[in-house]
Amino acid sequence: MRTDDALAADKSLGGVSARELAETYGTPLFVVDLDELDLEIDRFGRAFGAREIAVGYAGKAFLCAALAEHLAATPLRLDVCSLGELVTAERGGFPSARMYFHGCGKTGEELRAIVERRVAFDVIDNREELERLAALAPASDPVDVMLRINTGIEAHTHAFVRTGGENTKFGIPVAQLPAALVRVAELPQLRLIGLHAHIGSQIAELEPFLANVDELLAAAAIAVAQGHPIAELICGGGIAVEEGPGDPRPLELEALAAGLAERAAGRGLRLGIEPGRALIARAGSSLYCVMTVKAQGRRRFVVLDGGLADNPRPMLYGARHLPEVMAARSLGPDEPATLTGRSCENDEMGDYILPRGLAAGDLVAMRITGAYTYSMASNYNRFGRPPVVFVRGGHHRRVIRGESADDVTRLDMV
Ligand SMILES: Cc1ncc(COP(=O)(O)O)c(C=O)c1O
């Protein structure tokens, strides 16, 4: 980037100037603001924890050992869905008593880790998993399990439908629950402690969550009638977040927590939730350097030095993140621009309004990229994944180094 001082924009993330971050670590750079994260954890604690609804963080949104270490010092539980996530959490010292395992196709190694009590319990997705886990566990020391059920609530951002459970691959359909419960009762190796249902992502309305907990409560009544003392219902994650820091929050946590608590009141059950995105998204930003600005046809393309490889979400499902000019020499009036990455694809990151003066060397951040960005990054084009930096109160610390060309080729056997 340019080193001259007369900047028209000179912004910071977590109290650290974007220029300093770019000069220290290079770009693209994935930046996590720990103050923002802690604010969000507090918000969840006040809304859910205060109502005795357990909050777990869905590690799939973003996990690294340093984040696990940070989360270990909070009251959060952690949901892991692979051996890689489990080992990452262990490396960060996250206690096994607060972890549980998810996934609809667990490997033998993952099931053995569950039996070895490297997590507190398993969320069983299907009948085959039930049998495979029971075959590994000793009857003298049963493994705690939940059954994931498919409540048939399919949530879209602004609507939901009851599908009868047949339209998504996850969980055991409600109609098959009684038979699964009979089988669990026959297996002394397993101890059923709860039921689980997660209905989707980026849900901005209250109603699908309430419909889901109603279905879970009905399922719990079936389980209790069959002699299973159900202690807990986990209602999944899926809470939507906004595009940019100034936008209104799509869903009020207080309203959701109050709604869930009210539905379950007097039923003798504990509730849990497991958001990923809503906890981590706002803390994360992706910092890029502008490579070139091109007027072609009727469009103006701003080409960034990242894109598809470090954030596939805009291309995968049209995700939008607010682009913010962090450092630029000259801004000028706003004009339409298409942000693209540098990969050998049409990796458009969206049409936005950006200042006319934006030029090569300026810094742009995509905001609210904390969730499913780094965790979905790839080595497409054999690009290295970016470094990850934690910022807080004007200080910065690298917690994952960026991949070099040597890293990208380290598994090649030639
Ligand atoms: C079982 C389960 N729980 C929780 C989550 C977290 O969802 P979100 O990040 O949208 O809150 C997911 C996301 O896919 C999930 O599959």
Side-chain angles (χ1 to χ4, degrees):
M1 63 167 298
R2 291 193 191 95
T3 51
D4 49 7
D5 288 323
L7 294 178
D10 191 5
K11 296 190 185 171
S12 51
L13 294 166
V16 187
S17 123
R19 281 198 297 164
E20 181 179 342
L21 288 171
E23 277 159 14
T24 310
Y25 304 107
T27 53
L29 181 67
F30 184 62
V31 184
V32 177
D33 183 339
L34 292 184
D35 285 331
E36 277 291 329
L37 172 61
D38 285 350
L39 269 178
E40 221 51 66
I41 294 172
D42 274 1
R43 284 196 183 101
F44 272 88
R46 274 184 273 117
F48 293 93
R51 292 178 170 88
E52 291 182 12
I53 300 176
V55 183
Y57 170 63
K60 55 185 75 76
F62 169 61
L63 196 63
C64 63
L67 182 67
E69 188 178 60
H70 185 80
L71 297 179
T74 73
L76 294 180
R77 303 201 287 201
L78 179 63
D79 126 32
V80 295
C81 70
S82 70
L83 197 63
E85 285 187 1
L86 174 60
V87 171
T88 303
E90 289 173 336
R91 195 154 156 182
F94 199 93
S96 54
R98 277 165 39 208
M99 277 197 274
Y100 57 98
F101 221 112
H102 258 301
C104 65
K106 298 182 185 85
T107 64
E109 222 180 344
E110 289 166 348
L111 292 177
R112 274 191 296 281
I114 292 162
V115 170
E116 286 160 8
R117 302 302 198 279
R118 288 165 66 186
V119 294
F121 60 90
D122 180 29
V123 182
I124 293 181
D125 175 87
N126 53 67
R127 291 291 296 269
E128 287 72 19
E129 183 181 340
L130 196 97
E131 301 298 336
R132 288 171 64 221
L133 186 66
L136 292 173
S140 55
D141 188 15
V143 175
D144 285 347
V145 298
M146 289 198 183
L147 291 182
R148 177 167 180 173
I149 58 172
N150 190 323
T151 56
I153 307 294
E154 255 184 41
H156 309 283
T157 308
H158 294 294
F160 75 95
V161 285
R162 275 193 176 79
T163 62
E166 70 275 18
N167 283 337
T168 63
K169 71 172 178 178
F170 294 106
I172 298 168
V174 175
Q176 293 169 27
L177 181 64
L181 290 166
V182 167
R183 185 63 186 135
V184 175
E186 291 167 355
L187 295 168
Q189 303 90 335
L190 308 181
R191 191 170 76 103
L192 185 67
I193 59 165
L195 300 174
H196 174 286
H198 165 83
I199 51 171
S201 253
Q202 273 293 74
I203 305 167
E205 307 278 299
L206 207 52
E207 286 70 25
F209 289 105
L210 299 182
N212 188 49
V213 77
D214 285 346
E215 296 289 336
L216 272 170
L217 287 163
I222 294 171
V224 170
Q226 287 186 228
H228 293 280
I230 298 291
E232 181 172 352
L233 301 177
I234 298 186
C235 312
I239 300 166
V241 299
E242 59 282 3
E243 257 177 45
D247 299 343
R249 290 174 174 246
L251 190 63
E252 277 309 318
L253 295 185
E254 270 296 316
L256 176 57
L260 293 178
E262 194 179 298
R263 296 301 232 262
R267 304 291 288 266
L269 288 158
R270 196 161 89 113
L271 291 185
I273 54 161
E274 55 188 27
R277 185 188 318 276
L279 275 166
I280 194 75
R282 298 177 180 96
S285 301
S286 304
L287 185 62
Y288 301 103
C289 185
V290 175
M291 308 293 301
T292 179
V293 179
K294 297 178 174 179
Q296 298 201 155
R298 281 192 298 275
R299 302 173 81 191
R300 182 169 64 120
F301 293 98
V302 175
V303 181
L304 303 176
D305 61 351
L308 180 58
D310 69 274
N311 183 4
R313 299 184 62 252
M315 300 113 233
L316 259 185
Y317 35 70
R320 288 177 65 81
H321 303 284
L322 178 87
E324 193 170 336
V325 178
M326 303 301 290
R329 201 171 60 169
S330 142
L331 291 177
D334 285 343
E335 283 184 349
T338 300
L339 277 183
T340 80
R342 73 175 182 113
S343 69
C344 300
E345 279 289 323
N346 261 330
D347 57 354
E348 294 188 9
M349 299 162 88
D351 292 325
Y352 296 98
I353 301 293
L354 286 165
R356 185 192 294 166
L358 204 61
D362 293 340
L363 296 177
V364 172
M366 300 287 269
R367 304 301 307 275
I368 314 201
T369 60
Y372 305 104
T373 301
Y374 188 88
S375 64
M376 283 191 173
S378 75
N379 292 124
Y380 179 61
N381 282 173
R382 296 226 135 187
F383 293 144
R385 281 172 297 176
V388 179
V389 172
F390 283 180
V391 290
R392 155 170 258 165
H395 298 281
H396 49 96
R397 171 167 77 105
R398 185 173 57 171
V399 295
I400 302 183
R401 68 175 174 78
E403 286 175 323
S404 63
D406 281 346
D407 290 319
V408 170
T409 51
R410 78 186 180 283
L411 302 178
D412 285 10
M413 297 180 72
V414 175

